[in-house]
Amino acid sequence: MPFEPPIIQLCPVTADLVPKLLDLRLRPDQVRMVASVNDSLEEAETDEDARPRAILHDGEPVGFLMYDATSAGDVAQLYRFIIDEWQQGKGFGRAALSAVIAEIRREPHVSKISICYEPENMAARQLYLSAGFVEQGLDEDGEMIAHLALPPSS
């Protein structure tokens, strides 16, 4: 039987979602690889370009992501992506990545999505490569940079 991806919804972060988003946890081996939801939400309060999104399944948060599609010309930067430790391996990451790519594609000026991740984060690497991201090399912090070229919309 083929794998049916879970149905998720990306939605802007609202005050009622914040306590539930703050309950999201990474596996212990992932904690140093990505900023926390709390740190990300604090950053979003002062960065008008940040677009925080709750990843919902059946109305409940299973993850969080944040991107910027306005401050780098034609490049959108996906710079936070968290799936709760108890929800990993269920297809939520793949579904959320597809959803955020679709959301970013609606930005007419964006032709590329950029993401950085720790090179040893094999789960993230496999997810991004399977979605078509192409690794560009390491940045000055030792993180892998990967890009996804978006074809022009017709």
Side-chain angles (χ1 to χ4, degrees):
M1 176 179 258
F3 175 74
E4 276 296 316
I7 297 172
I8 62 100
Q9 178 184 24
L10 286 186
C11 69
V13 174
T14 57
D16 60 314
L17 286 172
V18 170
K20 292 178 180 182
L21 290 170
L22 293 175
D23 285 341
L24 297 174
R25 297 288 176 257
L26 291 168
R27 293 189 330 243
D29 63 308
Q30 297 171 325
V31 170
R32 67 170 193 78
M33 295 185 194
V34 66
S36 70
V37 172
N38 186 60
D39 289 347
S40 298
L41 291 175
E42 285 180 6
E43 182 178 337
E45 286 182 20
T46 60
D47 182 353
E48 63 187 27
D49 297 325
R51 296 183 187 181
R53 298 290 185 263
I55 304 167
L56 304 179
H57 175 66
D58 289 337
E60 292 297 317
V62 295
F64 170 85
L65 62 82
M66 192 159 69
Y67 71 93
D68 172 351
T70 56
S71 65
D74 66 341
V75 179
Q77 298 171 344
L78 179 57
Y79 57 98
R80 297 291 190 281
F81 199 143
I82 296 168
I83 300 296
D84 183 75
E85 68 177 322
W86 299 109
Q87 303 300 332
Q88 293 180 22
K90 299 178 181 179
F92 293 122
R94 187 169 307 281
L97 184 58
S98 293
V100 75
I101 290 170
E103 184 172 314
I104 291 170
R105 279 184 195 272
R106 292 191 290 273
E107 297 287 338
H109 67 283
V110 175
S111 65
K112 180 170 50 175
I113 301 173
S114 179
I115 189 159
C116 293
Y117 51 89
E118 296 291 336
E120 65 270 19
N121 188 343
M122 294 310 292
R125 182 175 192 226
Q126 291 170 350
L127 174 64
Y128 302 135
L129 293 178
S130 72
F133 283 82
V134 177
E135 293 181 339
Q136 306 297 309
L138 301 178
D139 68 8
E140 66 275 359
D141 296 324
E143 291 187 337
M144 180 59 69
I145 301 168
H147 295 157
L148 176 67
L150 301 177
S153 52
S154 41

